[in-house]
Amino acid sequence: MTAISNKGGGGVGKAIYRVLGSIPTGVLWFLVIVWSIPTFGLAVNSFRGRDAQRNAGWWNVFSDEGGPTLNNYEEVLTSSSTNSILESLANSFAIAIPATIIPIAIAAFAAYAFAWIDFKGREWLFIATVSLLAVPLQVALIPLLQLYSGGAHLTLPWIDKTLTLIPDFGLAGSSAAIWLTHTGFGLPFAIFLLHNYITSLPKDVFESARLDGADHFTIFWRIVLPLSVPVLAAFAIFQFLWTWNDFLIANTMAGSNPEARPTTIAIANLAGDYGRNEHLLGAGAFVQAFFPLVVFFSLQRYFVRGLLAGSVKG
């Protein structure tokens, strides 16, 4: 008895099914349990007070004085010293939603063009776009921050003039700077993933639509998008989780502006000076993780299909 049967055909998809299909179910369950223990321990500790967390392991939760408590969650959500958590949740939504929807919209059009529209330089442009996946975002954060705060200017010394390439939009320290950065770095992967899926769609469908007089936009809107729901949902999961859980980009772009800080920064500040409130971190983490879990379980039926986009046919 194996966990996954050897289905599908061709390429990477068949290899994945073959490897996973050879693993006994008991081994897979053992790996799941071992992998889940730290998260389970954090969840248990979120219901324990500071002294209990410091004096004994999470497995002693029922022997603690007073037993499990909701005080940590109450303090995280209502305390005057940590009331920024609720505001930061709104900031996280203001960042994650556009940073998820905009890349999907742009990448879907671009992926269809690369897959089914024949234009000069298509292959090289696609290679250049996918190559951007190799650019570390860390090296681009400071230049982007300078771009957001001062624009881009080109000095022409021979005529003693400065040419403004991009004006100063005053985006530094705003949530727009955060989701614009996530959008830019998410586009190459989105285009790559959607392109692999769209190229695997039956060619006969497109030829029949063209014979019926459909233009590219009609084919894209009425055929490609409905058939691409699995891969769109898979990328939405990736992008939303990455954006929602990001700390580096948000901390760099938001700076000292508390009105633009998402939950990752608010939770990092929960511990307070010298870590005296570190017992609140578990509760804050699960408050922050609630919405990503809702997104994942809502779209998880498309997850594996989207991961194997373009690799399995038949």
Side-chain angles (χ1 to χ4, degrees):
M1 182 70 180
T2 55
I4 301 177
S5 61
N6 190 6
K7 297 180 181 179
V12 178
K14 187 174 182 179
I16 293 175
Y17 279 117
R18 187 183 299 116
V19 172
L20 294 180
S22 64
I23 302 176
T25 304
V27 174
L28 291 178
W29 274 111
F30 174 76
L31 293 175
V32 170
I33 293 172
V34 171
W35 189 269
S36 302
I37 287 176
T39 303
F40 181 75
L42 182 65
V44 172
N45 265 341
S46 69
F47 295 98
R48 305 175 71 210
R50 180 174 61 180
D51 294 337
Q53 291 185 31
R54 290 182 174 182
N55 296 332
W58 58 265
W59 48 88
N60 296 303
V61 58
F62 293 107
S63 61
D64 293 338
E65 182 179 355
T69 177
L70 294 174
N71 290 341
N72 293 342
Y73 286 94
E74 182 180 356
E75 187 170 354
V76 164
L77 294 174
T78 64
S79 174
S80 59
S81 61
T82 59
N83 59 1
S84 60
I85 285 291
L86 296 180
E87 297 176 3
S88 66
L89 285 173
N91 293 336
S92 291
F93 278 112
I95 294 168
I97 292 176
T100 301
I101 295 177
I102 295 176
I104 289 177
I106 297 175
F109 282 105
Y112 174 78
F114 283 131
W116 296 105
I117 299 179
D118 188 16
F119 57 90
K120 189 175 181 179
R122 179 180 65 172
E123 292 81 6
W124 287 106
L125 184 59
F126 178 72
I127 292 173
T129 302
V130 175
S131 298
L132 294 175
L133 287 169
V135 178
L137 68 88
Q138 291 83 356
V139 303
L141 289 181
I142 299 304
L144 280 174
L145 183 59
Q146 293 174 341
L147 180 67
Y148 294 148
S149 61
H153 309 278
L154 178 63
T155 302
L156 306 175
W158 56 88
I159 59 174
D160 195 23
K161 286 186 182 265
T162 299
L163 180 63
T164 300
L165 303 178
I166 300 177
D168 179 12
F169 292 108
L171 297 177
S174 67
S175 59
I178 304 175
W179 62 256
L180 278 173
T181 304
H182 281 293
T183 297
F185 281 99
L187 273 173
F189 177 68
I191 293 173
F192 175 73
L193 188 67
L194 294 174
H195 173 269
N196 286 352
Y197 187 89
I198 293 175
T199 53
S200 69
L201 298 177
K203 186 177 181 180
D204 296 342
V205 175
F206 296 90
E207 293 177 349
S208 299
R210 292 193 188 97
L211 290 176
D212 291 337
D215 57 14
H216 282 298
F217 182 79
T218 302
I219 295 173
F220 172 79
W221 186 256
R222 296 186 177 273
I223 297 177
V224 174
L225 280 186
L227 293 176
S228 302
V229 170
V231 71
L232 293 175
F235 175 75
I237 292 174
F238 277 122
Q239 184 71 358
F240 186 88
L241 294 182
W242 176 44
T243 305
W244 185 273
N245 294 322
D246 168 73
F247 177 83
L248 177 62
I249 294 178
N251 193 42
T252 303
M253 298 300 170
S256 59
N257 182 12
E259 296 181 358
R261 292 178 177 176
T263 51
T264 49
I265 298 179
I267 291 173
N269 295 333
L270 272 180
D273 297 334
Y274 307 106
R276 59 187 178 185
N277 293 324
E278 82 282 354
H279 62 287
L280 300 177
L281 294 178
F286 277 91
V287 170
Q288 191 263 356
F290 174 77
F291 298 102
L293 289 174
V294 171
V295 171
F296 177 80
F297 286 112
S298 299
L299 302 176
Q300 59 87 24
R301 57 177 174 168
Y302 301 112
F303 189 64
V304 175
R305 294 168 62 187
L307 284 178
L308 300 179
S311 63
V312 180
K313 295 184 179 180

